[in-house]
Amino acid sequence: KKECLYDLEDRAIGHIIHKFEVSDADAPPNSQPFSWDLRDADRGKGASVPFTISEQGNLKVAGKLNFQRKNLYRLQVRVFDNGDPPLYSDANVTIKVVDKSQWPPVVSTLTVTAITADETYPSGIPLGKVHASDFDPYDVLVYSLLETPNSAAFTIDPSNGTLKSLTPLRAGSYELGVGVSDGRWTARGDAYVKIVTLTSLMPDMKLDQAQFGTAEEARLQPGSPHHHQHAVKIEGKSGTTSSNTGLHYHNVKSRKDISSFAVVMTLK
């Protein structure tokens, strides 16, 4: 097959550009271990290229890259099985060398208010996503949490910046530092998470006991005069619903189900 890869000119020697995956219908010992051959597709075997490939199929930088001197490499990657005679398969790879990163990432601040119907906000539910941008078109951004007093209770997806908690969160405010790296520059952003309980926000709200446990839908009856100013999204094991005029639990059968729901509320 064909692969088109991009790499920056300031990559360190040993940097892994790509990992090739290999499958073989033959059973051992005619399949693994595999062996590899890398050559310049234009000049043939023996021509020097600033790349190498490991026994694990990792294509690595093996020399200094300079996009002004040469910005395009066409390679042929050949993998052999362990048969007698060995069989092989080829992959054609084009590597485009681009200028090193010129601009650091720009990180937007994330502010989240999460409201829970229980004493704690459940772990594992996405709280929000940290957004970052970069003027360098080929930079790949990697997200991480910086070490802060609250960082051990959270995790962030390194590829897209989605923030989650690792443990149930009690009511309160949590301040986090987020690092976003493009491989050369690292920019810092902030994430502010506030956990609020429904009872503290709407102390007059009561559960409709008549419908609870018997109907497909149990309603929370609002007692707050500001109830209609809230847009509410309720997520849980049994379903999701949204409302601008009331709070609804869908397919709730017992109080145990109620406690498993996480409520996310945006104040208008």
Side-chain angles (χ1 to χ4, degrees):
K1 65 178 183 178
K2 295 182 179 180
E3 298 276 1
C4 184
L5 309 172
Y6 295 88
D7 204 24
L8 302 177
E9 69 167 1
D10 59 347
R11 291 296 193 194
I13 293 177
H15 169 75
I16 298 176
I17 303 174
H18 185 71
K19 178 176 176 58
F20 290 93
E21 301 292 340
V22 183
S23 61
D24 195 322
D26 292 324
N30 292 325
S31 56
Q32 300 184 35
F34 301 112
S35 56
W36 300 83
D37 178 68
L38 179 66
R39 65 184 66 185
D40 189 307
D42 296 326
R43 296 182 293 167
K45 189 173 183 178
S48 176
V49 292
F51 306 98
T52 186
I53 191 164
S54 70
E55 294 180 357
Q56 294 76 33
N58 294 325
L59 182 63
K60 300 180 180 181
V61 175
K64 185 173 177 58
L65 303 177
N66 187 325
F67 89 105
Q68 293 178 330
R69 183 181 304 166
K70 185 175 177 64
N71 62 6
L72 188 68
Y73 294 87
R74 294 183 178 88
L75 307 176
Q76 182 189 68
V77 177
R78 178 168 292 182
V79 58
F80 297 87
D81 66 14
N82 198 41
D84 185 17
L87 303 178
Y88 65 86
S89 179
D90 291 336
N92 295 315
V93 180
T94 299
I95 298 179
K96 296 181 179 180
V97 181
V98 297
D99 195 6
K100 61 185 178 182
S101 181
Q102 302 293 316
W103 304 93
V106 177
V107 189
S108 299
T109 299
L110 174 66
T111 302
V112 177
T113 298
I115 301 174
T116 177
D118 204 351
E119 294 182 357
T120 59
Y121 187 86
S123 61
I125 298 177
L127 291 163
K129 183 180 289 187
V130 176
H131 292 280
S133 59
D134 197 311
F135 288 113
D136 297 301
Y138 299 107
D139 281 358
V140 177
L141 302 182
V142 178
Y143 298 78
S144 63
L145 287 179
L146 304 178
E147 187 173 349
T148 63
N150 298 316
S151 59
F154 295 85
T155 183
I156 193 167
D157 190 309
S159 62
N160 61 30
T162 299
L163 183 68
K164 299 179 182 179
S165 65
L166 294 173
T167 60
L169 300 176
R170 292 192 172 276
S173 298
Y174 303 84
E175 182 176 345
L176 302 167
V178 179
V180 181
S181 174
D182 61 8
R184 184 184 184 191
W185 312 93
T186 298
R188 179 195 165 98
D190 295 304
Y192 301 95
V193 178
K194 185 176 182 180
I195 305 299
V196 180
T197 62
L198 271 178
T199 53
S200 66
L201 188 67
M202 300 178 181
D204 297 330
M205 184 175 292
K206 297 179 180 179
L207 189 66
D208 185 349
Q209 298 288 346
Q211 294 193 35
F212 187 78
T214 58
E216 284 294 315
E217 178 182 280
R219 290 185 175 84
L220 290 177
Q221 301 299 333
S224 168
H226 304 293
H227 172 72
H228 294 287
Q229 296 180 10
H230 303 295
V232 181
K233 177 184 178 184
I234 300 177
E235 300 173 320
K237 295 187 299 184
S238 303
T240 300
T241 184
S242 298
S243 174
N244 288 326
T245 58
L247 300 178
H248 303 279
Y249 287 107
H250 278 240
N251 300 322
V252 175
K253 300 296 185 181
S254 68
R255 286 189 180 275
K256 185 176 181 180
D257 288 335
I258 285 283
S259 66
S260 70
F261 276 74
V263 182
V264 180
M265 180 177 290
T266 303
L267 300 182
K268 290 187 174 181

